Amino acid sequence: MIRRCDDRDFEMIWAIIDDGAQAYKGIIPSDRWTEPYMSAEKLQHEIDDGVVFWGYEETGTLVGVMGLQQVQDVTLIRHAYVRTSSQKRGIGAHLLSHLRELTNDPMLIGTWADAVWAIRFYERHGFERVGSQEKNRLLKKYWTIPERQIETSVVLADPKWREGQFTSLGPAVSEPSPAVVG
């Protein structure tokens, strides 16, 4: 069952994030890794900043969480984690599908560039990486993260975002395509 999390779920959300984030240990740059992965204060700050968590529950216990954050003209997927013991069972896919139904806004996702499994997961669900210049612009516009994290991250965009960018700005927002000789 998927449900919106509330204040009573704070400790469980925090525990799921820390447990699920263990997959990043040794993968992301060591200067970005902390123990715990996210402090309780940082999590509270994210919630105060508008991240709304949704949880996947099995037998009355949360086993996965994913946050939504409305920022300006887009919705961000934030802090998507599944307990290590519950991974590879479709929980993340169920959460992502549910959250996509909650908004008509274009969606963006930021993740670590070296987290290839996370990137592949989002690509399987219709998101595409944006080019490096656009990634930098988006991370500075919609996220509040340090420059070092911007350097070591990627952004993936859903079809709504890509369509809106193409129609409003033309194809120049993506990486140059190889020339076609005819």
Side-chain angles (χ1 to χ4, degrees):
M1 173 180 109
I2 296 175
R3 65 173 177 82
R4 185 175 172 157
C5 297
D6 61 32
D7 293 343
R8 294 169 294 184
D9 298 309
F10 183 88
E11 293 292 326
M12 186 62 72
I13 293 167
W14 187 39
I16 290 168
I17 289 172
D18 192 51
D19 178 68
Q22 294 304 308
Y24 296 123
K25 192 172 188 174
I27 303 298
I28 67 172
S30 59
D31 64 320
R32 303 310 317 149
W33 180 258
T34 58
E35 294 276 353
Y37 179 71
M38 179 185 289
S39 69
E41 295 78 19
K42 173 69 172 160
L43 176 58
Q44 187 61 57
H45 175 74
E46 294 290 284
I47 292 169
D48 293 344
D49 251 10
V51 176
V52 176
F53 281 94
W54 291 78
Y56 188 95
E57 217 174 54
E58 286 183 338
T59 63
T61 302
L62 284 178
V63 295
V65 294
M66 193 174 286
L68 270 185
Q69 185 179 25
Q70 178 67 41
V71 180
Q72 299 175 41
D73 56 341
V74 300
T75 298
L76 306 177
I77 295 290
R78 304 290 312 275
H79 312 299
Y81 296 95
V82 175
R83 280 199 176 281
T84 303
S85 60
S86 298
Q87 291 176 359
K88 306 221 184 301
R89 297 193 350 235
I91 293 168
H94 287 299
L95 281 165
L96 182 60
S97 176
H98 183 81
L99 270 58
R100 290 178 90 174
E101 292 174 12
L102 297 178
T103 183
N104 289 320
D105 295 330
M107 294 185 97
L108 299 173
I109 299 168
T111 193
W112 299 103
D114 289 340
V116 294
W117 68 91
I119 295 166
R120 285 187 196 130
F121 168 80
Y122 293 119
E123 288 174 339
R124 281 194 310 270
H125 293 280
F127 289 80
E128 289 183 15
R129 285 174 66 161
V130 301
S132 62
Q133 287 183 338
E134 184 66 357
K135 177 249 330 182
N136 293 340
R137 185 186 75 79
L138 293 171
L139 287 171
K140 289 174 183 175
K141 181 175 181 178
Y142 296 115
W143 280 265
T144 305
I145 58 175
E147 188 64 37
R148 177 71 171 127
Q149 192 167 344
I150 290 171
E151 294 168 8
T152 57
S153 294
V154 297
V155 171
L156 297 101
D158 75 347
K160 287 181 201 170
W161 185 86
R162 291 189 313 271
E163 290 164 10
Q165 294 306 297
F166 186 77
T167 57
S168 66
L169 300 176
V173 296
S174 60
E175 295 288 303
S177 299
V180 177
V181 179

